[in-house]
Amino acid sequence: MNLLPVAEAQNRLLSRAKPVTASETLPLAGAEGRVLATDLTASLTQPPFNASAMDGYALRRDDAPEPGAVLKVIGTSAAGHGFAGNVGHGEAVRIFTGAPVPSGADSVLLQEDAEQIEGGIRTSFPVRPGQHVRPRGQDFVEGEAVLSAGTVLDFPRLTVAAAMNRPDVEILKRPLIAILATGDELLPPGSTPGPSQIIASNTFGIAALARKAGADVLDLGIVPDNKARITAAIDKARGAEADVIVTLGGASVGEHDLVQATLIEAGMQLDFWRIAMRPGKPLMVGSFGQTHVLGLPGNPVSSLVCSLLFLEPLIRKLASLPPMRREATAEAAVSLRANDHRQDYIRAKLSKSASGNWLAEPFAKQDSSLMKVFAQADCLIIRPPHAPELPAGAPCPVMLLRPDLLV
């Protein structure tokens, strides 16, 4: 069976992914990073009145077109305590930032442009019409759709939603990712492994990646290499209406690899498996109707690399979130040998070169079982199939394991 190129495998997976349309209502305080399901309209007008943008004096501009005008101060307007009267000819009101501009006034004179005199002020600077006044509705008006459906609620948008007097928002539900680890040899952390057993680790990293990508996670636990037990776990995931079922290990076709066969017997439509990549060749993609199935390798590093390439973009599309930006260019710290027919993802550390560019230095050991190396890596150097030898100092594409390095 021919190996599928990475890009083709990604396209086939994502082409059939449809964003989740179900919604829920959440308090605004818990909606950070979520996606609006509907347009969000303002329930009030902002500002709700003509407001002063400065500390100074509210007045009628016609009374002070030139310096030297003398005005009688008849009261004060402060934030939360507006002046209830009317500003007439030759009058002014002491006003503070954010306070309502009194009726009759149309402009604000800066306090430093006013000379204190007995009973009032003398202007020392000309006043422009509407000076330092924020008109009612300058930001938005009641009923205006300020945020549209599909908007991600980040900190500026949460701020405007609160200002719109919207304590609750209707947002899209997160896609549900069900994760199933399989293997007689696996035990949960905290166990004492027997002679042929190991601690299961993949679930924790993949669950964290899934949540970070915008999903909720259903952990189906560890299931032994038993068709009945695997089928029961898959039924649980389908009963929970998981959007994606992720299996860890057993997706190949060896004598002890039961997952693929069990899934097919349960009705899964197999799309493809075996990708031209290293690490991570034995990756399986299928579906139960609209439920995606992603069979990841049991090898921890392979499963994490495959999660970055396939699970994360799948979740982001299902969640109506933009793709995670992980692509960058670095200089190769050492020469890289020519590549074969598989796309390589080489674990590397990043530093800054003398020229100020990123410098990617591969770890000496690249075995896909080395979780410590993966944890220490900043990026994966991408070596396309049949790439020629790359000399040290040449540019090379990398996938950032920590996208914040782009900042």
Side-chain angles (χ1 to χ4, degrees), residues 267-309:
M268 182 193 76
Q269 296 295 312
L270 178 64
D271 188 358
F272 60 85
W273 72 290
R274 292 172 50 111
I275 313 298
M277 59 183 288
R278 185 175 30 239
K281 181 179 71 171
L283 177 122
M284 176 187 67
V285 170
S287 61
F288 290 105
Q290 293 302 308
T291 300
H292 299 267
V293 179
L294 196 58
L296 300 179
N299 180 292
V301 173
S302 298
S303 68
L304 292 173
V305 172
C306 287
S307 293
L308 286 170
L309 291 168

Side-chain angles (χ1 to χ4, degrees), residues 6 62 68 117 168 218 226 286 288 311 321 370:
V6 172
D62 288 347
I117 61 173
D168 304 299
L218 171 62
N226 177 285
F288 290 105
L311 180 59
L321 292 169
L370 300 177

Side-chain angles (χ1 to χ4, degrees), residues 16-381:
R16 60 175 298 273
K18 307 297 182 187
V20 172
T21 58
S23 64
E24 59 184 340
T25 300
L26 283 184
L28 191 62
E32 179 185 1
R34 302 298 293 271
V35 179
L36 283 176
T38 60
D39 292 348
L40 195 65
T41 58
S43 61
L44 48 69
T45 295
Q46 177 63 27
F49 42 74
N50 293 340
S52 178
M54 295 288 187
D55 291 348
Y57 294 89
L59 47 77
R60 295 152 48 105
R61 189 265 176 181
D62 288 347
D63 287 342
E66 300 294 337
V70 174
L71 303 172
K72 180 183 178 182
V73 177
I74 61 172
T76 299
S77 182
H81 304 280
F83 179 76
N86 183 75
V87 176
H89 175 66
E91 295 177 335
V93 165
R94 180 75 167 110
I95 196 166
F96 297 92
T97 303
V101 175
S103 175
D106 58 21
S107 303
V108 172
L109 175 73
L110 289 177
Q111 61 185 9
E112 54 264 38
D113 294 335
E115 177 189 351
Q116 301 290 327
I117 61 173
E118 178 101 13
I121 59 169
R122 178 182 291 110
T123 67
S124 58
F125 205 83
V127 177
R128 301 186 314 275
Q131 175 175 287
H132 303 312
V133 173
R134 295 171 177 149
R136 180 179 186 274
Q138 175 179 265
D139 200 351
F140 50 79
V141 297
E142 183 177 356
E144 179 183 347
V146 178
L147 299 174
S148 58
T151 297
V152 180
L153 292 172
D154 56 10
F155 72 94
R157 289 155 178 161
L158 287 170
T159 301
V160 74
M164 291 157 61
N165 200 26
R166 299 299 299 261
D168 304 299
V169 286
E170 186 178 356
I171 45 89
L172 295 175
K173 286 188 173 181
R174 296 179 187 270
L176 178 62
I177 312 303
I179 302 177
L180 170 64
T182 64
D184 291 340
E185 76 280 12
L186 299 179
L187 292 174
S191 304
T192 302
S196 301
Q197 295 178 309
I198 59 172
I199 299 298
S201 58
N202 300 18
T203 298
F204 297 91
I206 291 168
L209 182 146
R211 293 188 183 100
K212 186 75 172 178
D216 288 329
V217 172
L218 171 62
D219 185 359
L220 297 171
I222 300 170
V223 174
D225 294 319
N226 177 285
K227 281 193 173 184
R229 295 282 297 276
I230 295 171
T231 300
I234 296 303
D235 288 344
K236 182 178 179 180
R238 297 179 69 184
E241 298 183 340
D243 297 286
V244 184
I245 299 173
V246 176
T247 63
L248 305 177
S252 191
V253 291
E255 291 182 24
H256 300 284
D257 296 321
L258 304 178
V259 173
Q260 184 179 135
T262 304
L263 286 166
I264 290 173
E265 288 177 14
M268 182 193 76
Q269 296 295 312
L270 178 64
D271 188 358
F272 60 85
W273 72 290
R274 292 172 50 111
I275 313 298
M277 59 183 288
R278 185 175 30 239
K281 181 179 71 171
L283 177 122
M284 176 187 67
V285 170
S287 61
F288 290 105
Q290 293 302 308
T291 300
H292 299 267
V293 179
L294 196 58
L296 300 179
N299 180 292
V301 173
S302 298
S303 68
L304 292 173
V305 172
C306 287
S307 293
L308 286 170
L309 291 168
F310 296 95
L311 180 59
E312 181 180 75
L314 175 61
I315 290 172
R316 302 288 290 186
K317 184 170 183 181
L318 293 173
S320 296
L321 292 169
M324 186 72 76
R325 185 185 172 200
R326 293 187 179 275
E327 298 78 18
T329 300
E331 295 176 5
V334 298
S335 62
L336 301 173
R337 65 186 180 186
N339 200 15
D340 60 13
H341 63 286
R342 291 163 67 180
Q343 183 150 297
D344 275 355
Y345 294 89
I346 302 169
R347 279 72 76 198
K349 290 287 289 183
L350 285 174
S351 60
K352 283 298 182 80
S353 69
S355 60
N357 297 322
W358 285 116
L359 189 67
E361 183 173 2
F363 286 89
K365 296 180 179 179
Q366 290 290 323
D367 189 283
S368 59
S369 68
L370 300 177
M371 291 174 278
K372 182 176 73 173
V373 168
F374 192 89
Q376 293 172 342
D378 298 313
C379 70
L380 304 173
I381 298 174

